[in-house]
Amino acid sequence: VQLQASGGGLVHSGGSLKLSCAASGRIFSIDEMAWYRQGPGTERDLVAQIINGGPTNYADSVKGRFLISRDAAKNSWYLQMNNMKPGDTGVYFCNAAVRVDRNYQYEFWGQGTQVTVSS
């Protein structure tokens, strides 16, 4: 299974970006889809996730500004980022808990995409 992230770039404070992640390979189902962020000199932290296509969770710092969504038919998920702030700067990684058959689930990571918000 491979995850391909795209959509990063440079944006001014208050601007918007949309990240995309597409999963490919041996996929029975994707149970969890998520985005993580790793800022300069910081750990990789959860930004947003969708669990089993339903409940969503967001980091407190992005609530009300970011929206995670998915297209199950395309094994893809997205992160719409609005009213961005310099603190949103970092490398964004997509992450998924993928069931490769009925019995086995594994965690996979995308390659990361750089997001830079200028003040």
Side-chain angles (χ1 to χ4, degrees):
V1 175
Q2 292 185 327
L3 307 186
Q4 181 68 45
S6 61
L10 174 65
V11 64
H12 291 298
S13 183
S16 298
L17 278 177
K18 185 175 183 178
L19 305 182
S20 300
C21 186
S24 60
R26 181 180 173 182
I27 299 172
F28 179 77
S29 65
I30 304 178
D31 296 342
E32 295 183 18
M33 301 169 170
W35 289 96
Y36 284 73
R37 176 174 67 208
Q38 187 165 17
T42 67
E43 296 182 352
R44 193 177 297 185
D45 294 321
L46 178 68
V47 175
Q49 70 179 161
I50 297 180
I51 301 172
N52 290 328
T56 57
N57 293 313
Y58 294 92
D60 288 342
S61 62
V62 307
K63 285 180 180 177
R65 300 189 297 119
F66 290 12
L67 179 67
I68 188 170
S69 61
R70 69 168 192 153
D71 185 334
K74 296 181 178 179
N75 288 326
S76 297
W77 57 106
Y78 312 95
L79 186 68
Q80 177 67 47
M81 303 183 289
N82 299 321
N83 189 22
M84 297 185 72
K85 304 175 180 180
D88 296 325
T89 293
V91 179
Y92 284 69
F93 296 87
C94 55
N95 168 275
V98 178
R99 195 169 294 274
V100 298
D101 58 34
R102 292 184 182 276
N103 299 314
Y104 295 97
Q105 182 192 78
Y106 300 97
E107 183 180 32
F108 295 92
W109 291 90
Q111 83 282 12
T113 184
Q114 177 69 45
V115 171
T116 302
V117 185
S118 62
S119 58

